[in-house]
Amino acid sequence: MSKFCKIFRIIFVVHLLTDVSLTVRYDPNWKSLDSRPLPDWYDDAKLGIFIHWGVFSVPSFSSEWFWYDWKQRGLPGIIDFMQKNYPPDFTYPDFAPEFKAEFYSPIEWASLFKQAGAKYVVLTSKHHEGFTNWPSKYSFNWNANDTGPNRDLVGDLADAVRDYSLKFGLYHSMFEWFNPLYKSDAANGFKTQNFVKSKTMPELYEIVQKYKPEVVWSDGDGDAPAEYWTSQEFLAWLYNDSPVKDTVVVNDRWGKNISCHHGGFFTCADRYNPGKLQTHKWENAMTIDHYSWGYRRNAPLSNYLTIEELLKTFITTVSCGGNMLMNVGPTSYGRIVPIMEERLKQMGEWLGVNGEAIYGTRPWSHQNDTVSKDVWYTKKKSATGYTVYAILLQWPKAGTLTLGAPQTTTATVVSLLGYQGNFNWSKGPIGGIEIKFPLIGWNMMPCKWAWVLKLDGISN
Ligand SMILES: *[C@@H]1O[C@H](CO)[C@@H](O)[C@H](O)[C@H]1NC(C)=O
Ligand SMILES: *[C@@H]1O[C@H](CO)[C@@H](O)[C@H](O)[C@H]1NC(C)=O
Ligand SMILES: *[C@@H]1O[C@H](CO)[C@@H](O)[C@H](O)[C@H]1NC(C)=O
Ligand SMILES: *[C@@H]1O[C@H](CO)[C@@H](O)[C@H](O)[C@H]1NC(C)=O
């Protein structure tokens, strides 16, 4: 064979191999599905916005579990609320016509999420109440087009969010508390699949084909196994043949005991924040309201997380390899109330100065410092290796801050994000680094909460 021929053959083989890797197909079992690499955009994004919106936003009392807590659990507070404020024959579906979304401006929402520094948005397409926020072919009457807002809440937000170059995702509840088909499947020990075949799966295929969500955030396994839900078949289709097969990410709530074990990123539990490095990509799904995901009209200020609490949650999450999905509950009339708007804008204000230490970063060898409390680390590739970011939840009380984790070199340079000039430093007595803080006027501070030291030329 001539040399030319050999080169050609090598190129051909390489080409063939690349082709094979591009057309890898996944089988409907967890081993195969779990082998799919998570698309990079997700780990780079770090912050998403979660939106809980539905008929529960009309009573906007207690929580998004209002219907269940009223009729199934019989919470006295809800029974009392209904007795005092509604006629005796009033049913939960009677709330739907009051879900009017008359001030809903998807563009305003998307603009706010962009200002918050979020990179993706996840909307409840349907919560456990079963009401679909899109005009589903599989939902007669109990959907946002046929009653209430009389519009496609999902499609309108998808367009606006994409206009702002954010990724659009959809939350979807597999089970529905009171759906008779679900209840009869449950009564049969999930040996029948009438509900999943006529409702859950048709809806999931419908929203993926119609809205091409880049996050499919499943919830509500209703204690039924993944085999009942046919989750593995759905995910194989999603990864192999769906319109979002190359970019979509999914969570882990696909059946009983699947969460924290299988799927895409792990959510494990609500407000999951383990405080140490995780081996698998994860997400901290949390809400600005301490007690609810849906809007509550009677929530006082103290029920909302402060910006300091939000940033602490966010920073510890990112240091340990997680993303944060921060939830807002809009009102039934379509507004994100000013307290949540303010929190979102404060996040954006902080990220505007310090985003370099967040977006596109990866966990460092240490998550928190070994000497100073409330210091959390991230790292990012730089021209000379890695830049390490030390995020301080407290401004140092003395003029010097000692960090135990970073090992210095003669090339070490320390600066503060958003502030001109480098800081002086010296090697600590037992390794580590002592950083001298210059006096900075309060009106010259780069930001109001959580400050970031940029450490270049660190040896570990
Ligand atoms: C939404 O409702 C309108 C008015 O009833 C109807 O004309 C339209 O076909 C519905 N859209 C879908 C997608 O079902
Ligand atoms: C849950 O799933 C994990 C991993 O598949 C398994 O190790 C564990 O035994 C399961 N737990 C229960 C209670 O079934
Ligand atoms: C760092 O985190 C670990 C684990 O949460 C904790 O035990 C330790 O006290 C923290 N270190 C400091 C200096 O706060
Ligand atoms: C760093 O130390 C030098 C020499 O002591 C001093 O002149 C300079 O002002 C210091 N810079 C800062 C930012 O503290």
Side-chain angles (χ1 to χ4, degrees):
M1 200 187 328
S2 74
K3 205 167 148 194
F4 183 81
C5 230
K6 244 187 218 161
I7 289 171
F8 180 79
R9 209 171 70 143
I10 289 166
I11 290 171
F12 181 75
V13 168
V14 168
H15 188 73
L16 207 72
L17 285 173
T18 331
D19 261 12
V20 167
S21 74
L22 283 176
T23 56
V24 62
R25 288 185 68 82
Y26 298 94
D27 300 323
N29 62 67
W30 291 122
K31 189 163 182 285
S32 174
L33 297 168
D34 290 347
S35 73
R36 176 180 182 259
L38 199 67
D40 283 339
W41 75 261
Y42 179 78
D43 198 6
D44 291 342
K46 307 302 183 195
L47 182 65
I49 302 292
F50 212 177
I51 306 165
H52 273 65
W53 205 26
V55 172
F56 51 81
S57 310
V58 176
S60 52
F61 178 76
S62 194
S63 85
E64 68 291 344
W65 277 66
F66 184 96
W67 193 4
Y68 187 85
D69 287 346
W70 175 24
K71 291 295 176 187
Q72 193 73 28
R73 296 176 64 204
L75 281 196
I78 297 184
I79 291 172
D80 188 51
F81 169 83
M82 290 309 295
Q83 269 167 0
K84 280 191 178 137
N85 299 293
Y86 292 88
D89 56 347
F90 195 91
T91 67
Y92 187 80
D94 293 332
F95 283 123
E98 296 306 312
F99 182 18
K100 295 206 176 105
E102 63 267 48
F103 299 122
Y104 176 39
S105 167
I107 285 291
E108 246 184 85
W109 284 20
S111 159
L112 176 60
F113 303 150
K114 183 84 174 181
Q115 286 177 67
K119 301 293 183 189
Y120 59 105
V121 174
V122 179
L123 169 69
T124 49
S125 65
K126 180 193 84 173
H127 199 258
H128 312 325
E129 64 187 12
F131 185 87
T132 66
N133 280 334
W134 80 100
S136 175
K137 273 188 265 178
Y138 309 98
S139 169
F140 171 71
N141 228 324
W142 194 228
N143 68 74
N145 195 48
D146 292 335
T147 180
N150 294 128
R151 68 191 272 192
D152 179 2
L153 301 177
V154 173
D156 292 347
L157 188 64
D159 292 345
V161 158
R162 289 181 172 128
D163 280 351
Y164 279 85
S165 311
L166 305 174
K167 306 258 188 213
F168 183 69
L170 287 172
Y171 165 108
H172 177 267
S173 173
M174 295 198 289
F175 90 136
E176 295 169 16
W177 295 312
F178 300 116
N179 191 302
L181 288 177
Y182 171 74
K183 286 169 80 169
S184 80
D185 282 350
N188 295 334
F190 301 114
K191 299 285 182 272
T192 54
Q193 289 176 302
N194 297 318
F195 175 69
V196 65
K197 287 190 172 150
S198 62
K199 195 71 169 40
T200 307
M201 280 302 147
E203 279 175 356
L204 272 171
Y205 285 93
E206 182 181 45
I207 57 174
V208 170
Q209 265 149 350
K210 198 162 176 182
Y211 304 109
K212 303 178 178 54
E214 270 146 333
V215 183
V216 178
W217 212 104
S218 176
D219 193 23
D221 64 45
D223 259 356
E227 289 67 31
Y228 165 76
W229 293 115
T230 62
S231 299
Q232 295 162 89
E233 286 73 13
F234 169 73
L235 290 172
W237 170 79
L238 191 69
Y239 293 171
N240 291 329
D241 300 310
S242 80
V244 284
K245 66 188 173 66
D246 298 321
T247 50
V248 73
V249 297
V250 305
N251 68 341
D252 56 349
R253 301 187 182 184
W254 295 100
K256 190 177 181 172
N257 193 35
I258 296 303
S259 179
C260 232
H261 297 299
H262 302 291
F265 58 86
F266 289 173
T267 62
C268 302
D270 291 356
R271 296 186 188 276
Y272 183 63
N273 191 10
K276 51 183 196 226
L277 183 62
Q278 301 297 294
T279 50
H280 192 97
K281 183 67 198 180
W282 60 284
E283 181 176 76
N284 179 352
M286 51 78 65
T287 168
I288 300 180
D289 179 339
H290 277 288
Y291 305 107
S292 176
W293 301 76
Y295 180 59
R296 294 185 303 133
R297 287 176 294 157
N298 59 333
L301 181 61
S302 60
N303 284 180
Y304 295 103
L305 271 78
T306 62
I307 184 60
E308 288 85 354
E309 289 169 324
L310 277 174
L311 281 171
K312 180 177 181 175
T313 307
F314 182 47
I315 290 158
T316 53
T317 294
V318 172
S319 282
C320 297
N323 279 16
M324 186 165 91
L325 187 63
M326 184 169 76
N327 178 74
V328 294
T331 63
S332 64
Y333 47 88
R335 298 294 303 176
I336 292 165
V337 294
I339 186 68
M340 298 192 199
E341 178 187 353
E342 181 178 56
R343 290 294 174 272
L344 262 55
K345 288 185 171 164
Q346 288 170 324
M347 287 296 289
E349 190 182 329
W350 187 82
L351 280 162
V353 175
N354 302 298
E356 176 185 332
I358 298 291
Y359 303 122
T361 61
R362 295 295 178 266
W364 188 42
S365 54
H366 291 74
Q367 277 58 62
N368 60 338
D369 193 54
T370 52
V371 172
S372 284
K373 265 181 59 164
D374 290 335
V375 177
W376 293 83
Y377 293 103
T378 62
K379 75 164 187 207
K380 194 190 262 173
K381 271 212 171 72
S382 73
T384 54
Y386 282 106
T387 297
V388 172
Y389 298 95
I391 311 179
L392 322 180
L393 299 179
Q394 317 279 342
W395 186 255
K397 287 196 183 76
T400 302
L401 176 72
T402 305
L403 297 179
Q407 301 308 313
T408 59
T409 66
T410 51
T412 296
V413 178
V414 179
S415 60
L416 182 69
L417 291 189
Y419 186 77
Q420 285 287 321
N422 298 331
F423 284 12
N424 287 335
W425 61 270
S426 56
K427 200 169 166 176
I430 46 159
I433 184 171
E434 287 188 356
I435 299 166
K436 314 263 183 306
F437 276 65
L439 283 172
I440 304 177
W442 68 268
N443 56 344
M444 300 296 283
M445 293 288 274
C447 58
K448 296 185 225 141
W449 334 271
W451 302 265
V452 181
L453 291 171
K454 179 176 182 174
L455 310 172
D456 279 308
I458 293 296
S459 73
N460 59 331

